[in-house]
Amino acid sequence: MAKPMSKSKIVATLAEKMGTPKKLSAQFFDELFKLAVKECKGAAGKFVIPNIGRAVKAHRKARMGRNPQTGEAIKIPAKRVLKFRIAKAMKDAVLK
């Protein structure tokens, strides 16, 4: 199985395609990350990257689970989670 591209390889590829310095491309990713965190923490709880997907803050209810070693029933508490939903355009481009 092929290894996924590292951040430095992605930055280098984008810098070459866009004709910009690598430092500027790396700064873009850092700012995109900061913006995504800010938006997900906000009231909407969502951040959309067009044609790629959206990060959505969700609430997972409390539920009963099992300890795999003993088989004993345990209570798993409720918590907030972050989900990433792939956009239809991305699915169509990759899977078709």
Side-chain angles (χ1 to χ4, degrees):
M1 187 169 173
K3 292 175 72 174
M5 290 177 75
S6 65
K7 180 181 175 183
S8 59
K9 286 183 182 179
I10 294 171
V11 165
T13 303
L14 286 178
E16 183 181 323
K17 295 270 186 187
M18 302 296 291
T20 59
K22 288 181 185 177
K23 188 173 184 177
L24 185 62
S25 295
Q27 186 179 6
F28 167 77
F29 277 109
D30 293 338
E31 291 301 319
L32 182 66
F33 172 75
K34 289 176 189 176
L35 181 62
V37 169
K38 179 182 165 200
E39 290 296 313
C40 285
K41 281 187 172 185
K46 296 179 191 174
F47 181 72
V48 178
I49 302 172
N51 295 329
I52 295 179
R54 70 177 56 207
V56 180
K57 185 170 55 173
H59 181 75
R60 185 173 289 163
K61 293 180 183 178
R63 62 191 194 276
M64 293 302 290
R66 295 224 172 259
N67 181 333
Q69 289 184 327
T70 64
E72 178 187 355
I74 57 172
K75 184 173 185 203
I76 301 169
K79 64 180 178 179
R80 290 184 299 177
V81 294
L82 190 64
K83 297 179 180 182
F84 190 80
R85 297 190 178 139
I86 303 294
K88 184 178 184 322
M90 181 73 153
K91 285 181 193 175
D92 291 345
V94 172
L95 300 176
K96 290 187 180 178

Coordinates of all heavy atoms in Angstrom, one line a residue:
M1 N 0.8 -1.2 0.0 CA 0.0 0.0 0.0 C 0.9 1.2 0.0 O 1.9 1.3 0.7 CB -0.9 0.0 1.2 CG -1.9 1.0 1.3 SD -3.1 0.7 2.6 CE -4.0 2.1 2.6
A2 N 0.5 2.2 -0.8 CA 1.3 3.4 -0.9 C 1.2 4.3 0.3 O 0.1 4.3 1.0 CB 0.9 4.2 -2.1
K3 N 2.2 5.0 0.7 CA 2.1 5.9 1.8 C 1.5 7.2 1.4 O 1.7 7.7 0.3 CB 3.6 6.2 2.3 CG 4.3 5.0 3.0 CD 5.7 5.3 3.3 CE 5.7 6.2 4.5 NZ 7.1 6.3 5.0
P4 N 0.7 7.8 2.3 CA 0.1 9.1 2.0 C 1.1 10.2 2.0 O 2.2 10.1 2.6 CB -0.9 9.3 3.1 CG -0.5 8.4 4.2 CD 0.3 7.3 3.6
M5 N 0.9 11.3 1.3 CA 1.8 12.4 1.2 C 2.0 13.0 2.5 O 1.0 13.2 3.2 CB 1.3 13.4 0.2 CG 1.4 13.0 -1.3 SD 0.7 14.2 -2.4 CE 2.0 15.4 -2.4
S6 N 3.2 13.4 2.9 CA 3.4 14.2 4.1 C 3.1 15.6 3.9 O 2.9 16.1 2.7 CB 4.9 14.0 4.5 OG 5.7 14.7 3.5
K7 N 3.0 16.4 5.0 CA 2.7 17.8 4.9 C 3.7 18.5 4.0 O 3.4 19.3 3.2 CB 2.6 18.4 6.3 CG 2.2 19.9 6.2 CD 2.2 20.5 7.6 CE 2.0 22.0 7.5 NZ 2.0 22.6 8.9
S8 N 5.0 18.2 4.2 CA 6.0 18.9 3.5 C 5.9 18.6 2.0 O 6.2 19.5 1.2 CB 7.4 18.5 4.0 OG 7.6 17.1 3.9
K9 N 5.5 17.4 1.6 CA 5.4 17.0 0.2 C 4.2 17.8 -0.4 O 4.2 18.2 -1.5 CB 5.2 15.5 0.0 CG 6.5 14.8 0.2 CD 6.4 13.3 -0.1 CE 7.7 12.6 0.1 NZ 7.6 11.2 -0.1
I10 N 3.1 17.9 0.4 CA 1.9 18.6 -0.1 C 2.3 20.1 -0.3 O 1.9 20.7 -1.3 CB 0.7 18.4 0.9 CG1 0.3 17.0 0.9 CG2 -0.4 19.3 0.5 CD1 -0.7 16.6 2.0
V11 N 3.0 20.6 0.7 CA 3.3 22.0 0.6 C 4.2 22.3 -0.6 O 4.0 23.2 -1.4 CB 4.1 22.5 1.9 CG1 4.8 23.8 1.7 CG2 3.1 22.6 3.0
A12 N 5.2 21.4 -0.8 CA 6.1 21.5 -2.0 C 5.4 21.4 -3.3 O 5.6 22.2 -4.2 CB 7.2 20.5 -1.9
T13 N 4.4 20.5 -3.4 CA 3.6 20.3 -4.6 C 2.8 21.5 -4.9 O 2.8 22.0 -6.0 CB 2.8 19.1 -4.5 OG1 3.6 17.9 -4.3 CG2 2.0 18.8 -5.8
L14 N 2.1 22.0 -3.9 CA 1.3 23.2 -4.1 C 2.1 24.4 -4.4 O 1.7 25.3 -5.3 CB 0.4 23.5 -2.8 CG -0.8 22.6 -2.6 CD1 -1.5 22.9 -1.3 CD2 -1.7 22.6 -3.8
A15 N 3.2 24.6 -3.8 CA 4.1 25.8 -4.0 C 4.6 25.7 -5.5 O 4.6 26.7 -6.2 CB 5.3 25.7 -3.1
E16 N 4.9 24.5 -6.0 CA 5.4 24.4 -7.4 C 4.2 24.7 -8.3 O 4.4 25.4 -9.3 CB 5.9 23.0 -7.6 CG 6.4 22.7 -9.0 CD 6.9 21.3 -9.1 OE1 7.4 20.7 -8.2 OE2 6.7 20.8 -10.2
K17 N 3.0 24.2 -8.1 CA 1.9 24.4 -9.0 C 1.4 25.8 -9.0 O 1.0 26.3 -10.0 CB 0.7 23.5 -8.6 CG 0.9 22.0 -8.7 CD 0.5 21.6 -10.0 CE 0.6 20.0 -10.1 NZ 0.4 19.5 -11.4
M18 N 1.5 26.5 -7.8 CA 1.0 27.8 -7.7 C 2.1 28.9 -8.0 O 1.8 30.1 -8.2 CB 0.4 28.1 -6.3 CG -0.8 27.2 -6.0 SD -2.2 27.4 -7.0 CE -2.7 29.0 -6.5
G19 N 3.3 28.4 -8.1 CA 4.4 29.4 -8.3 C 4.7 30.3 -7.1 O 5.0 31.5 -7.3
T20 N 4.5 29.8 -5.9 CA 4.7 30.6 -4.7 C 5.8 29.9 -3.9 O 6.1 28.7 -4.0 CB 3.4 30.7 -3.8 OG1 3.0 29.3 -3.5 CG2 2.3 31.4 -4.6
P21 N 6.4 30.6 -2.9 CA 7.4 30.0 -2.0 C 6.7 28.9 -1.1 O 5.6 29.0 -0.8 CB 7.9 31.2 -1.2 CG 7.4 32.4 -1.8 CD 6.2 32.0 -2.7
K22 N 7.5 27.9 -0.7 CA 7.1 26.9 0.1 C 6.6 27.5 1.5 O 5.6 27.0 2.0 CB 8.2 25.9 0.4 CG 8.5 25.0 -0.8 CD 9.5 24.0 -0.4 CE 10.0 23.2 -1.6 NZ 11.1 22.2 -1.3
K23 N 7.2 28.5 1.9 CA 6.9 29.1 3.2 C 5.5 29.6 3.2 O 4.7 29.5 4.2 CB 7.9 30.2 3.6 CG 7.8 30.7 5.0 CD 8.9 31.7 5.3 CE 8.8 32.2 6.7 NZ 9.9 33.0 7.1
L24 N 5.1 30.2 2.1 CA 3.7 30.8 1.9 C 2.7 29.7 1.9 O 1.6 29.8 2.5 CB 3.7 31.6 0.7 CG 2.3 32.4 0.4 CD1 2.1 33.4 1.6 CD2 2.4 33.1 -0.9
S25 N 3.0 28.6 1.2 CA 2.1 27.4 1.2 C 1.9 26.8 2.5 O 0.8 26.4 2.9 CB 2.6 26.4 0.2 OG 2.6 26.9 -1.1
A26 N 3.0 26.7 3.3 CA 2.9 26.1 4.6 C 2.1 27.1 5.6 O 1.3 26.6 6.4 CB 4.3 26.0 5.2
Q27 N 2.3 28.4 5.4 CA 1.5 29.3 6.2 C 0.0 29.2 5.9 O -0.8 29.4 6.8 CB 2.0 30.8 5.9 CG 1.4 31.8 6.7 CD 2.0 33.2 6.4 OE1 2.7 33.4 5.5 NE2 1.6 34.2 7.2
F28 N -0.3 28.9 4.6 CA -1.7 28.7 4.2 C -2.3 27.6 5.0 O -3.4 27.7 5.6 CB -1.8 28.5 2.7 CG -3.2 27.9 2.3 CD1 -4.3 28.8 2.2 CD2 -3.4 26.6 2.1 CE1 -5.5 28.3 1.9 CE2 -4.6 26.1 1.7 CZ -5.7 26.9 1.6
F29 N -1.6 26.5 5.1 CA -2.2 25.3 5.9 C -2.3 25.7 7.4 O -3.3 25.2 8.0 CB -1.3 24.1 5.7 CG -1.6 23.4 4.4 CD1 -0.7 23.4 3.4 CD2 -2.7 22.6 4.3 CE1 -1.0 22.7 2.2 CE2 -3.0 22.0 3.1 CZ -2.1 22.0 2.1
D30 N -1.3 26.4 7.9 CA -1.4 26.8 9.3 C -2.6 27.7 9.6 O -3.4 27.5 10.6 CB -0.1 27.5 9.8 CG 1.1 26.5 9.8 OD1 0.9 25.3 9.8 OD2 2.2 27.0 9.7
E31 N -2.9 28.6 8.7 CA -4.0 29.5 8.9 C -5.3 28.8 8.6 O -6.3 29.1 9.3 CB -3.9 30.7 7.9 CG -2.8 31.7 8.3 CD -2.9 32.2 9.7 OE1 -4.0 32.6 10.1 OE2 -1.9 32.3 10.4
L32 N -5.4 27.9 7.7 CA -6.6 27.1 7.4 C -6.9 26.3 8.7 O -8.1 26.2 9.1 CB -6.4 26.1 6.2 CG -7.6 25.3 5.8 CD1 -8.7 26.2 5.3 CD2 -7.2 24.3 4.8
F33 N -5.9 25.7 9.3 CA -6.1 24.9 10.5 C -6.7 25.8 11.6 O -7.7 25.4 12.3 CB -4.8 24.3 11.0 CG -4.9 23.6 12.4 CD1 -5.6 22.4 12.5 CD2 -4.4 24.3 13.5 CE1 -5.7 21.9 13.8 CE2 -4.5 23.7 14.7 CZ -5.1 22.5 14.9
K34 N -6.1 27.0 11.8 CA -6.6 27.9 12.9 C -8.0 28.3 12.6 O -8.8 28.4 13.6 CB -5.7 29.1 13.0 CG -4.3 28.9 13.5 CD -3.5 30.1 13.5 CE -2.0 29.8 13.8 NZ -1.2 31.0 13.7
L35 N -8.3 28.6 11.4 CA -9.7 29.0 11.0 C -10.7 27.8 11.3 O -11.8 28.1 11.8 CB -9.7 29.4 9.6 CG -11.1 29.9 9.0 CD1 -11.6 31.1 9.8 CD2 -11.0 30.2 7.6
A36 N -10.3 26.6 10.9 CA -11.2 25.5 11.1 C -11.4 25.2 12.6 O -12.6 25.0 13.0 CB -10.5 24.2 10.5
V37 N -10.4 25.4 13.4 CA -10.6 25.2 14.9 C -11.6 26.3 15.4 O -12.5 26.0 16.2 CB -9.2 25.2 15.6 CG1 -9.4 25.3 17.1 CG2 -8.4 24.0 15.2
K38 N -11.3 27.5 15.0 CA -12.2 28.6 15.4 C -13.6 28.4 15.1 O -14.5 28.6 15.9 CB -11.7 29.9 14.8 CG -12.4 31.1 15.2 CD -11.9 32.4 14.6 CE -12.9 33.5 14.6 NZ -12.6 34.5 13.7
E39 N -13.9 28.0 13.8 CA -15.2 27.8 13.3 C -15.9 26.6 14.0 O -17.1 26.7 14.3 CB -15.3 27.6 11.8 CG -14.9 28.9 11.1 CD -16.0 30.0 11.3 OE1 -17.2 29.7 11.2 OE2 -15.5 31.1 11.5
C40 N -15.2 25.5 14.2 CA -15.8 24.3 14.9 C -16.1 24.6 16.3 O -17.0 24.1 16.9 CB -14.8 23.1 14.7 SG -14.8 22.4 13.1
K41 N -15.3 25.4 17.0 CA -15.5 25.8 18.4 C -16.7 26.8 18.5 O -17.3 26.9 19.6 CB -14.3 26.4 19.0 CG -13.3 25.4 19.4 CD -12.2 26.1 20.2 CE -11.2 25.1 20.8 NZ -10.2 25.7 21.6
G42 N -17.0 27.5 17.4 CA -18.1 28.5 17.5 C -19.5 27.9 17.6 O -19.7 26.7 17.7
A43 N -20.5 28.8 17.5 CA -21.8 28.4 17.7 C -22.3 27.4 16.6 O -23.1 26.5 16.9 CB -22.7 29.6 17.7
A44 N -21.9 27.6 15.3 CA -22.3 26.7 14.2 C -21.7 25.3 14.4 O -22.4 24.4 14.1 CB -21.9 27.3 12.9
G45 N -20.5 25.2 14.9 CA -19.9 23.9 15.1 C -19.6 23.2 13.8 O -19.4 22.0 13.8
K46 N -19.4 23.9 12.7 CA -19.1 23.4 11.4 C -18.0 24.1 10.7 O -17.9 25.4 10.9 CB -20.3 23.4 10.5 CG -21.5 22.6 10.9 CD -22.6 22.7 9.9 CE -23.9 22.2 10.4 NZ -25.0 22.4 9.5
F47 N -17.2 23.5 9.8 CA -16.3 24.1 9.0 C -16.3 23.4 7.6 O -16.1 22.2 7.6 CB -14.9 24.1 9.6 CG -13.8 24.8 8.7 CD1 -13.9 26.2 8.6 CD2 -12.9 24.1 8.0 CE1 -12.9 26.8 7.7 CE2 -12.0 24.7 7.2 CZ -12.0 26.1 7.0
V48 N -16.5 24.1 6.6 CA -16.6 23.5 5.2 C -15.4 23.8 4.4 O -15.0 25.0 4.3 CB -17.9 24.0 4.5 CG1 -18.0 23.4 3.1 CG2 -19.1 23.7 5.3
I49 N -14.8 22.8 3.8 CA -13.8 23.0 2.8 C -14.5 22.6 1.4 O -14.8 21.4 1.2 CB -12.6 22.1 3.0 CG1 -12.0 22.4 4.4 CG2 -11.5 22.3 1.9 CD1 -10.9 21.5 4.8
P50 N -14.8 23.6 0.6 CA -15.5 23.3 -0.7 C -14.9 22.1 -1.5 O -13.7 22.1 -1.6 CB -15.5 24.6 -1.4 CG -15.3 25.6 -0.4 CD -14.4 25.0 0.6
N51 N -15.8 21.3 -1.9 CA -15.5 20.1 -2.8 C -14.7 19.0 -2.0 O -14.3 18.0 -2.7 CB -14.8 20.5 -4.1 CG -15.6 21.3 -5.0 OD1 -16.9 21.1 -5.0 ND2 -15.1 22.2 -5.7
I52 N -14.3 19.2 -0.8 CA -13.6 18.2 0.0 C -14.5 17.6 1.1 O -14.6 16.4 1.2 CB -12.3 18.7 0.5 CG1 -11.4 19.1 -0.6 CG2 -11.6 17.7 1.5 CD1 -10.0 19.7 -0.3
G53 N -15.0 18.5 2.0 CA -15.9 18.0 3.0 C -16.1 19.0 4.1 O -15.7 20.1 4.0
R54 N -16.7 18.5 5.2 CA -17.0 19.4 6.3 C -16.7 18.8 7.6 O -16.9 17.6 7.8 CB -18.4 19.9 6.3 CG -19.4 18.9 6.6 CD -20.9 19.4 6.6 NE -21.2 20.1 5.4 CZ -22.1 21.1 5.3 NH1 -22.7 21.5 6.3 NH2 -22.3 21.6 4.1
A55 N -16.1 19.5 8.5 CA -15.9 19.1 9.9 C -17.1 19.5 10.7 O -17.5 20.7 10.6 CB -14.6 19.7 10.5
V56 N -17.7 18.6 11.4 CA -18.9 18.8 12.2 C -18.7 18.4 13.6 O -18.3 17.3 13.9 CB -20.1 18.1 11.6 CG1 -21.4 18.4 12.3 CG2 -20.3 18.4 10.1
K57 N -19.0 19.3 14.6 CA -19.0 19.0 16.0 C -20.3 18.3 16.3 O -21.4 18.7 15.9 CB -18.9 20.2 16.8 CG -18.7 20.0 18.3 CD -18.3 21.2 19.1 CE -19.2 22.4 18.9 NZ -18.9 23.5 19.7
A58 N -20.3 17.1 17.0 CA -21.5 16.3 17.3 C -21.5 15.9 18.7 O -20.4 15.9 19.4 CB -21.6 15.1 16.3
H59 N -22.6 15.5 19.2 CA -22.8 15.0 20.6 C -23.1 13.5 20.5 O -24.0 13.1 19.8 CB -23.9 15.7 21.3 CG -24.1 15.3 22.7 ND1 -23.3 15.7 23.7 CD2 -25.0 14.5 23.3 CE1 -23.7 15.1 24.8 NE2 -24.7 14.4 24.6
R60 N -22.3 12.7 21.2 CA -22.5 11.3 21.3 C -23.1 10.9 22.6 O -22.6 11.3 23.7 CB -21.2 10.5 21.2 CG -21.3 9.0 21.1 CD -20.0 8.4 20.8 NE -19.7 8.6 19.4 CZ -18.4 8.4 18.9 NH1 -17.5 8.0 19.7 NH2 -18.2 8.7 17.6
K61 N -24.3 10.3 22.6 CA -25.0 9.9 23.8 C -24.3 8.9 24.7 O -23.5 8.1 24.2 CB -26.4 9.3 23.4 CG -27.3 10.3 22.8 CD -28.6 9.6 22.4 CE -29.6 10.5 21.7 NZ -30.8 9.9 21.3
A62 N -24.6 8.9 25.9 CA -24.1 7.9 26.9 C -24.7 6.5 26.4 O -25.8 6.4 26.0 CB -24.5 8.2 28.3
R63 N -23.9 5.5 26.6 CA -24.4 4.1 26.2 C -23.7 3.1 27.1 O -22.7 3.3 27.8 CB -24.1 3.9 24.8 CG -22.6 3.9 24.4 CD -22.4 3.9 22.9 NE -21.1 3.6 22.5 CZ -20.1 4.5 22.5 NH1 -20.3 5.7 22.8 NH2 -18.8 4.1 22.1
M64 N -24.2 1.9 27.0 CA -23.6 0.8 27.7 C -22.7 0.0 26.8 O -23.0 -0.1 25.6 CB -24.7 -0.2 28.2 CG -25.6 0.4 29.3 SD -24.8 0.9 30.7 CE -24.3 -0.6 31.4
G65 N -21.5 -0.4 27.3 CA -20.5 -1.1 26.6 C -20.1 -2.3 27.4 O -20.6 -2.6 28.4
R66 N -19.1 -3.0 26.9 CA -18.6 -4.2 27.5 C -17.1 -4.1 27.6 O -16.4 -3.7 26.7 CB -18.9 -5.5 26.8 CG -20.4 -5.8 26.7 CD -20.6 -7.2 27.0 NE -22.1 -7.5 27.1 CZ -22.7 -7.6 28.3 NH1 -22.0 -7.6 29.4 NH2 -24.0 -7.8 28.3
N67 N -16.6 -4.5 28.8 CA -15.1 -4.7 29.0 C -14.7 -5.9 28.2 O -15.2 -7.0 28.5 CB -14.8 -4.8 30.5 CG -13.3 -4.9 30.7 OD1 -12.6 -5.4 29.9 ND2 -12.9 -4.5 31.9
P68 N -13.8 -5.8 27.2 CA -13.5 -6.9 26.4 C -12.7 -8.0 27.1 O -12.8 -9.2 26.7 CB -12.6 -6.4 25.3 CG -12.2 -5.0 25.7 CD -13.2 -4.6 26.7
Q69 N -12.1 -7.7 28.2 CA -11.3 -8.7 29.0 C -12.2 -9.5 29.9 O -12.1 -10.8 30.0 CB -10.2 -8.1 29.8 CG -9.1 -7.6 28.9 CD -7.9 -7.1 29.7 OE1 -8.1 -6.5 30.8 NE2 -6.7 -7.2 29.2
T70 N -13.1 -8.8 30.6 CA -14.0 -9.5 31.6 C -15.4 -9.8 31.1 O -16.1 -10.6 31.7 CB -14.0 -8.7 32.9 OG1 -14.7 -7.5 32.6 CG2 -12.6 -8.5 33.4
G71 N -15.8 -9.1 30.1 CA -17.2 -9.2 29.6 C -18.2 -8.4 30.5 O -19.4 -8.4 30.3
E72 N -17.7 -7.7 31.5 CA -18.5 -6.9 32.4 C -19.1 -5.7 31.7 O -18.4 -5.0 30.9 CB -17.6 -6.4 33.6 CG -18.3 -5.6 34.6 CD -17.4 -5.0 35.6 OE1 -16.2 -5.3 35.6 OE2 -17.8 -4.2 36.4
A73 N -20.4 -5.4 32.0 CA -21.0 -4.2 31.4 C -20.5 -3.0 32.0 O -20.3 -2.9 33.2 CB -22.5 -4.3 31.6
I74 N -20.2 -2.0 31.2 CA -19.7 -0.7 31.7 C -20.5 0.4 31.1 O -21.0 0.3 30.0 CB -18.2 -0.5 31.4 CG1 -17.9 -0.6 29.9 CG2 -17.3 -1.5 32.2 CD1 -16.5 -0.2 29.6
K75 N -20.6 1.6 31.8 CA -21.3 2.7 31.2 C -20.2 3.6 30.5 O -19.3 4.0 31.2 CB -22.0 3.5 32.3 CG -22.8 4.6 31.8 CD -23.7 5.3 32.8 CE -24.5 6.3 32.1 NZ -25.0 7.3 32.8
I76 N -20.5 3.9 29.3 CA -19.6 4.9 28.5 C -20.3 6.2 28.6 O -21.5 6.4 28.1 CB -19.4 4.4 27.1 CG1 -18.8 3.0 27.1 CG2 -18.6 5.4 26.3 CD1 -18.8 2.3 25.7
P77 N -19.7 7.3 29.1 CA -20.3 8.5 29.3 C -20.5 9.3 27.9 O -19.9 9.0 26.9 CB -19.3 9.3 30.2 CG -18.0 8.7 29.9 CD -18.3 7.2 29.6
A78 N -21.4 10.2 28.0 CA -21.7 11.1 26.8 C -20.5 12.0 26.6 O -19.8 12.3 27.5 CB -22.9 11.9 27.0
K79 N -20.2 12.3 25.3 CA -19.1 13.3 25.0 C -19.3 13.9 23.7 O -20.1 13.5 22.9 CB -17.8 12.5 25.0 CG -17.6 11.5 24.0 CD -16.3 10.8 24.1 CE -16.1 9.7 23.1 NZ -14.8 9.1 23.2
R80 N -18.6 15.0 23.5 CA -18.6 15.7 22.2 C -17.5 15.1 21.3 O -16.4 14.8 21.8 CB -18.4 17.2 22.3 CG -19.5 17.9 23.0 CD -19.3 19.3 23.1 NE -18.1 19.6 23.9 CZ -17.6 20.8 24.1 NH1 -18.1 21.8 23.5 NH2 -16.5 20.9 24.8
V81 N -17.8 14.9 20.0 CA -16.9 14.4 19.1 C -16.8 15.2 17.8 O -17.7 16.0 17.6 CB -17.2 12.9 18.7 CG1 -17.1 12.0 19.9 CG2 -18.6 12.8 18.1
L82 N -15.8 15.1 17.1 CA -15.6 15.8 15.8 C -15.7 14.8 14.7 O -14.9 13.8 14.7 CB -14.3 16.6 15.8 CG -14.1 17.6 14.6 CD1 -15.2 18.7 14.7 CD2 -12.7 18.2 14.7
K83 N -16.5 15.0 13.7 CA -16.7 14.1 12.6 C -16.3 14.9 11.3 O -16.5 16.1 11.2 CB -18.1 13.6 12.4 CG -18.6 12.8 13.6 CD -20.0 12.3 13.4 CE -20.4 11.5 14.7 NZ -21.8 11.0 14.5
F84 N -15.8 14.1 10.3 CA -15.5 14.7 9.0 C -16.3 14.0 8.0 O -16.2 12.8 7.8 CB -14.0 14.6 8.7 CG -13.6 15.5 7.5 CD1 -13.4 16.8 7.6 CD2 -13.5 14.9 6.2 CE1 -13.1 17.6 6.5 CE2 -13.2 15.6 5.1 CZ -13.0 17.0 5.2
R85 N -17.2 14.8 7.3 CA -18.1 14.2 6.3 C -17.5 14.6 4.9 O -17.4 15.8 4.6 CB -19.5 14.8 6.5 CG -20.0 14.3 7.8 CD -21.5 14.6 8.0 NE -22.0 14.1 9.2 CZ -22.8 14.8 10.0 NH1 -23.3 16.0 9.6 NH2 -23.2 14.3 11.1
I86 N -17.3 13.6 4.1 CA -16.7 13.8 2.8 C -17.8 14.4 1.9 O -19.0 13.9 1.9 CB -16.2 12.5 2.2 CG1 -15.2 11.9 3.1 CG2 -15.7 12.7 0.8 CD1 -13.9 12.7 3.3
A87 N -17.4 15.4 1.0 CA -18.4 16.0 0.1 C -18.7 15.1 -1.1 O -17.8 14.2 -1.4 CB -17.8 17.3 -0.4
K88 N -19.8 15.2 -1.7 CA -20.2 14.4 -2.8 C -19.3 14.5 -4.0 O -18.9 13.6 -4.6 CB -21.7 14.8 -3.2 CG -22.2 13.9 -4.3 CD -23.6 14.2 -4.7 CE -24.3 13.3 -5.7 NZ -23.5 12.9 -6.8
A89 N -18.8 15.7 -4.2 CA -17.9 16.0 -5.3 C -16.6 15.1 -5.1 O -16.0 14.6 -6.1 CB -17.5 17.5 -5.4
M90 N -16.1 15.1 -3.9 CA -14.9 14.3 -3.6 C -15.2 12.8 -3.8 O -14.4 12.1 -4.4 CB -14.4 14.6 -2.2 CG -13.2 13.8 -1.8 SD -11.8 14.6 -2.6 CE -10.5 14.1 -1.4
K91 N -16.3 12.3 -3.3 CA -16.7 10.9 -3.4 C -16.7 10.5 -4.9 O -16.2 9.5 -5.3 CB -18.0 10.6 -2.8 CG -18.0 10.6 -1.3 CD -19.4 10.2 -0.8 CE -19.5 10.5 0.7 NZ -20.9 10.3 1.2
D92 N -17.4 11.4 -5.7 CA -17.6 11.1 -7.1 C -16.2 11.1 -7.8 O -16.0 10.2 -8.7 CB -18.5 12.1 -7.8 CG -20.0 12.0 -7.3 OD1 -20.3 10.9 -6.7 OD2 -20.8 12.9 -7.5
A93 N -15.4 12.0 -7.5 CA -14.1 12.1 -8.2 C -13.2 10.9 -7.8 O -12.5 10.4 -8.7 CB -13.4 13.4 -7.8
V94 N -13.2 10.4 -6.6 CA -12.4 9.3 -6.2 C -12.9 8.0 -6.5 O -12.2 7.1 -7.0 CB -12.1 9.4 -4.7 CG1 -11.3 8.2 -4.2 CG2 -11.3 10.7 -4.3
L95 N -14.2 7.8 -6.3 CA -14.8 6.4 -6.5 C -15.3 6.1 -7.8 O -15.6 4.9 -8.1 CB -15.9 6.3 -5.4 CG -15.5 6.4 -4.0 CD1 -16.7 6.3 -3.0 CD2 -14.4 5.4 -3.6
K96 N -15.5 7.1 -8.7 CA -16.0 6.8 -10.1 C -15.0 6.9 -11.1 O -14.0 7.4 -11.0 CB -17.2 7.7 -10.4 CG -18.4 7.4 -9.5 CD -19.6 8.2 -9.9 CE -20.7 7.8 -9.0 NZ -21.9 8.5 -9.3

